[in-house]
Amino acid sequence: QVQLVESGGGLVQAGGSLRLSCAASGSISSIRYMDWYRQAPGKQRELVAAITNGGSTNYADSVKGRFTISRTSAKNTVDLQMNSLKPEDTAVYFCHADLVLLPTLRSYSYWGQGTQVTVSS
């Protein structure tokens, strides 16, 4: 069974840091890209950061210079280092990945269950 499992959310004061991790497991041949989304109460889910299989990254303007996405290909994991956190970063953060599965070698989109990040002022 293929799944994405997130960890690392929590409560932090403004200006603090948190690190989120997401591990993909199952019959995975390769990972095309992995990314992090977030959804605050009453708002739409938005892309925070993305990283391709080749290591190219993309960030939302609101987190540039503060967040860093990284991958460990051998472990099928993606991390999101979040520094200088602001109250407006409060949201549920979701890991997402486009996975190529065995034995079909077809790609599918998967989501994690979400992890809460709360930044107090």
Side-chain angles (χ1 to χ4, degrees):
Q1 181 180 357
V2 177
Q3 59 179 350
L4 301 179
V5 178
E6 301 129 335
S7 61
L11 172 65
V12 65
Q13 288 187 333
S17 299
L18 281 175
R19 187 176 184 89
L20 305 182
S21 294
C22 173
S25 62
S27 300
I28 300 168
S29 172
S30 62
I31 299 177
R32 295 178 61 205
Y33 60 86
M34 299 183 81
D35 37 41
W36 288 94
Y37 283 74
R38 67 186 180 188
Q39 187 166 19
K43 294 188 177 181
Q44 289 188 330
R45 191 172 296 190
E46 62 173 354
L47 178 66
V48 176
I51 186 166
T52 68
N53 191 34
S56 297
T57 58
N58 184 42
Y59 296 92
D61 288 343
S62 59
V63 307
K64 282 181 181 177
R66 300 188 298 121
F67 291 10
T68 302
I69 189 170
S70 60
R71 272 189 61 185
T72 303
S73 298
K75 296 182 179 180
N76 287 341
T77 61
V78 62
D79 295 334
L80 185 68
Q81 178 65 42
M82 305 184 295
N83 299 327
S84 302
L85 282 161
K86 305 174 181 180
E88 51 263 44
D89 294 318
T90 295
V92 178
Y93 284 70
F94 296 89
C95 176
H96 170 262
D98 194 84
L99 308 177
V100 179
L101 302 186
L102 295 168
T104 62
L105 298 184
R106 298 180 69 176
S107 63
Y108 296 88
S109 178
Y110 284 87
W111 291 89
Q113 78 283 2
T115 185
Q116 177 70 46
V117 171
T118 303
V119 184
S120 62
S121 58

